[in-house]
Amino acid sequence: MPNAPSQPPPTAAHDGRRGAPPVPPDLFRPLAAALPTGVCVVTSLGVSGAPAGMTSGAVCSLSCEPPLMLVCMGKESHTLAAVLVHGAFCVNVLAADATALSRRFSRQGPDKFAGVAWRPAHNGTPVLTEGTVAYVSCELLRTVDGGDHTVAIGLVVEGDHRPGTAPLLYHRRRYAGFPPEPEEPLSAPDQPDPPGP
């Protein structure tokens, strides 16, 4: 009788742990800081209609069809509270020369928008009109628990970008720029030019 095809051994349901303890916070922080991130200001409107915002590097695209973005916000964040009330948020991607905006929105206080140029998106979320590479306005679809943070998932309903504008980056607690995009694509030096007609 021929041998039956081999089957993979059964596995236990994965519950997020395999017996090893998590790394301590004083190790996790430098590990997380080693990952370079773009710098964004996430905005929304609070109960009174006043704008709220925070600096964040925990932002990424989630899906193309449908277009989804996610943002991670601390559970005590005033901006998260505003997002939950308003049901929408805007991701403002900062430009390389906008470190002052990043610092302004990373601190606590009610006057973050004082002197900052912005306009409302169609859903009311604040769009910063200076110092940005792009903005993405989203309708809140759902939230997911993420430890001491909440993950907000939004459907992208509006946005725009400025091609050729360099973004602001953050790495190991330091800001960095990124070279602007070239006007013309550059050929790799070791690749021949494509043949002509």
Side-chain angles (χ1 to χ4, degrees):
M1 179 175 182
N3 293 333
S6 61
Q7 298 292 325
T11 57
H14 181 53
D15 64 358
R17 298 189 63 179
R18 295 186 183 272
V23 298
D26 60 348
L27 173 58
F28 178 71
R29 289 189 186 97
L31 294 177
L35 176 66
T37 64
V39 184
C40 303
V41 171
V42 179
T43 59
S44 191
L45 296 177
V47 177
S48 65
M54 57 172 273
T55 300
S56 177
V59 175
C60 74
S61 59
L62 177 61
S63 168
C64 189
E65 295 182 10
L68 301 178
M69 295 283 291
L70 68 79
V71 179
C72 302
M73 293 173 276
K75 291 184 175 176
E76 303 302 318
S77 165
H78 295 293
T79 303
L80 172 61
V83 170
L84 296 177
V85 166
H86 188 60
F89 61 89
C90 185
V91 175
N92 297 272
V93 184
L94 296 189
D97 59 357
T99 56
L101 271 177
S102 175
R103 290 191 177 102
R104 169 185 284 267
F105 282 92
S106 65
R107 69 173 190 245
Q108 298 295 323
D111 60 342
K112 294 181 182 181
F113 283 84
V116 174
W118 66 278
R119 65 169 180 83
H122 292 305
N123 60 14
T125 56
V127 177
L128 304 186
T129 57
E130 295 177 1
T132 61
V133 171
Y135 81 91
V136 183
S137 186
C138 302
E139 298 291 334
L140 180 65
L141 289 184
R142 68 184 67 91
T143 60
V144 179
D145 182 74
D148 57 5
H149 280 60
T150 294
V151 181
I153 299 173
L155 177 70
V156 179
V157 295
E158 183 182 339
D160 200 3
H161 65 106
R162 297 182 174 95
T165 306
L168 182 63
L169 302 178
Y170 194 68
H171 180 242
R172 297 192 190 279
R173 303 183 182 275
R174 295 180 62 186
Y175 290 107
F178 195 84
E181 298 172 10
E183 293 183 8
E184 297 291 334
L186 301 176
S187 298
D190 58 344
Q191 297 294 323
D193 292 330

